[in-house]
Amino acid sequence: MAIIKRQYRTKKQQKPVIFYRAEVYIKGVRVSAKTFSIKRSAVLWQEKEKQKFSLSPTSLNDRMLFKDCLEQFWKDAETRMMKSTLQSYESRLSYFYKGPLADVKISELRGAKVVEWISWLKKHKTAQNRGRKSFLHELKFLSVVLNWYRNFVNEDFNVPITKKHRQMCVFKPNAPRRPDYFIKPENAKIWVEWLKEHRSNPVYWRLASFMLLTGARVGEACGLKWSSVDLEKGFVRIVRRVRWDQRTKHPFLEEVTKTSQSARLLMLPEKLKNILREIRKEATNDLVFTDMKGELLKYNAVQSSFNAGFMALDLPWRSTHICRHTYATIALMETKNLSAVQASLGHTEIKMTQKYAKAIALLSSETGEKTASAIFKNN
């Protein structure tokens, strides 16, 4: 900010005319300027401009408390985010409103404040829960809120979350996932047979078969409609999914997929087409997989049935998602075509497909033979 004294003279004037130019700069950029004949007027105007810019939206937002920022984020999120995402975030709000971050000014939110908050989390009563191993989800939510603030409120704000904070959030060792995180083909077969023999509703073994043979997510399979099935051409369209309310566990149908890449065509093997033909004969509505009343399946019922089979057969799995890992791994073992497996799973990034299919799937007897011949070629 500056007040510059200047003067000019015309040909007819003997005395120069003196004037004062007041200028206001913000971060090196001139945002306002005006010329006055009296210096006092220039000073008074400049002071008013300084006050106006000190009360600009950016400056006001710097004075905003984190809890107020969180409230604004939530109002915006309710209009844009899916119900399931909101419920996931809602379960974590107490860690922010009741924690040490609530009354911190956004302008003062630095890495040290995040460290203080993580230390408070580790002393929280929920940290004693057996299943609680970290507060990474809470840190991720904090990152979402602060990135929203930077993107939509104050672009000059720097999100103060670093690798150090992510490491601090983990306070219990998490056993690494076993490299053979998939059901072996022989075990998958007996597991489906067990579901067929020990469950009164045949939907569970049929659903398990569909997930094993297509790699579809459980929500995608449960949301499948006959209008998306073409048995003559042998494919299904994945264009919707079922989500389950986190509080009531009630299922509801969403006419969207997890990502844009998840909307895809899945080719059906002959065995699966035969299973779907059997279901079609018994169908009473447009849903492919239903409970006894013809309604959407509840996730806890599916999980309970799947886990009962795993436990009865002494298999280590306790998840519906293991079917997707199984499909990815076996498909890669048999085809060696990672791009095709990626397309069938609907993954945006090939790294995710590699995580599902495991490096073990790329191994073959040919790999070992070629290595042996290279090492012992002269023997």
Side-chain angles (χ1 to χ4, degrees):
M1 299 182 186
I3 295 178
I4 305 169
K5 181 179 179 181
R6 290 182 177 177
Q7 61 183 11
Y8 70 91
R9 184 188 321 215
T10 64
K11 292 181 179 180
K12 296 181 179 180
Q13 290 177 319
Q14 294 182 353
K15 276 188 173 184
V17 176
I18 298 174
F19 65 93
Y20 299 88
R21 183 171 177 79
E23 298 178 342
V24 179
Y25 287 81
I26 299 293
K27 296 183 179 180
V29 179
R30 189 175 67 189
V31 294
S32 185
K34 194 171 182 180
T35 301
F36 297 88
S37 58
I38 302 173
K39 184 176 181 180
R40 179 174 175 77
S41 299
V43 171
L44 292 174
W45 177 86
Q46 190 184 60
E47 289 298 323
K48 288 181 180 179
E49 287 294 294
K50 287 165 61 175
Q51 185 178 9
K52 183 177 74 174
F53 281 102
S54 69
L55 297 176
S56 66
T58 299
S59 299
L60 285 173
N61 290 328
D62 285 341
R63 301 176 188 178
M64 182 189 295
L65 298 181
F66 176 77
K67 61 184 179 183
D68 298 325
C69 172
L70 185 58
E71 186 175 346
Q72 287 192 22
F73 162 81
W74 194 256
K75 289 179 181 178
D76 181 57
E78 285 181 321
T79 63
R80 296 184 299 106
M81 294 185 177
M82 291 184 292
K83 183 178 178 181
S84 55
T85 305
L86 288 173
Q87 286 187 339
S88 176
Y89 287 162
E90 189 177 16
S91 64
R92 298 183 172 90
L93 288 178
S94 62
Y95 295 109
F96 298 93
Y97 281 121
K98 297 181 180 179
L101 287 182
D103 295 316
V104 174
K105 291 181 180 179
I106 293 292
S107 60
E108 298 174 1
L109 210 164
R110 300 287 186 268
K113 294 292 184 181
V114 180
V115 170
E116 180 184 343
W117 174 66
I118 294 173
S119 300
W120 175 82
L121 285 177
K122 289 181 177 179
K123 297 176 183 177
H124 197 275
K125 60 181 181 180
T126 57
Q128 306 303 319
N129 295 347
R130 178 179 293 184
R132 169 71 79 173
K133 299 181 184 297
S134 75
F135 285 99
L136 286 173
H137 288 296
E138 286 69 24
L139 184 68
K140 184 178 179 180
F141 182 39
L142 174 62
S143 177
V144 169
V145 175
L146 295 181
N147 274 292
W148 172 87
Y149 176 81
R150 182 182 64 183
N151 291 327
F152 298 102
V153 182
N154 184 0
E155 61 185 12
D156 296 323
F157 177 74
N158 290 318
V159 178
I161 296 176
T162 64
K163 184 177 180 179
K164 170 187 174 181
H165 300 128
R166 290 189 287 272
Q167 292 176 340
M168 285 183 64
C169 281
V170 181
F171 58 92
K172 287 182 185 177
N174 199 359
R177 177 172 285 176
R178 51 191 297 170
D180 59 335
Y181 191 73
F182 66 98
I183 311 172
K184 294 178 180 179
E186 59 272 20
N187 289 336
K189 183 178 180 180
I190 62 172
W191 173 61
V192 172
E193 289 297 325
W194 187 94
L195 291 173
K196 189 174 184 178
E197 295 176 6
H198 294 82
R199 284 293 175 266
S200 57
N201 190 346
V203 69
Y204 297 113
W205 76 265
R206 290 167 172 172
L207 179 65
S209 299
F210 183 86
M211 293 170 63
L212 285 169
L213 296 177
T214 63
R217 300 176 178 91
V218 63
E220 294 171 343
C222 291
L224 187 65
K225 290 185 175 182
W226 288 112
S227 55
S228 299
V229 178
D230 191 326
L231 291 176
E232 290 185 7
K233 295 181 180 179
F235 67 81
V236 298
R237 294 190 302 272
I238 301 298
V239 293
R240 64 182 61 83
R241 63 176 179 174
V242 169
R243 296 291 293 182
W244 292 273
D245 190 287
Q246 293 188 9
R247 292 188 294 269
T248 65
K249 310 303 180 185
H250 184 75
F252 54 93
L253 203 59
E254 291 181 336
E255 294 297 324
V256 293
T257 52
K258 184 176 182 181
T259 65
S260 59
Q261 195 78 9
S262 296
R264 61 199 188 278
L265 290 178
L266 297 178
M267 303 308 296
L268 301 173
E270 195 61 38
K271 180 175 179 61
L272 191 52
K273 284 192 281 187
N274 293 334
I275 293 174
L276 290 174
R277 288 189 185 103
E278 291 179 14
I279 303 174
R280 191 74 182 95
K281 294 177 183 177
E282 306 166 4
T284 58
N285 56 41
D286 197 30
L287 290 171
V288 176
F289 301 105
T290 66
D291 60 14
M292 290 294 205
K293 297 179 180 179
E295 298 176 351
L296 291 170
L297 287 167
K298 292 185 178 180
Y299 179 75
N300 52 3
V302 176
Q303 186 181 45
S304 177
S305 295
F306 282 20
N307 288 351
F310 291 140
M311 295 172 67
L313 299 171
D314 198 27
L315 296 175
W317 321 117
R318 299 291 183 272
S319 166
T320 58
H321 213 56
I322 190 66
C323 296
R324 190 164 163 84
H325 285 266
T326 301
Y327 168 84
T329 306
I330 296 177
L332 187 55
M333 280 182 175
E334 296 300 320
T335 66
K336 304 295 187 295
N337 190 337
L338 191 60
S339 296
V341 176
Q342 178 190 3
S344 62
L345 292 175
H347 284 156
T348 304
E349 299 291 338
I350 203 163
K351 288 183 179 179
M352 181 60 71
T353 309
Q354 292 171 329
K355 180 180 178 182
Y356 271 72
K358 321 294 180 300
I360 190 174
L362 294 173
L363 300 178
S364 66
S365 58
E366 185 181 7
T367 306
E369 292 295 339
K370 287 185 176 180
T371 305
S373 63
I375 296 175
F376 301 106
K377 60 183 176 181
N378 296 325
N379 292 352

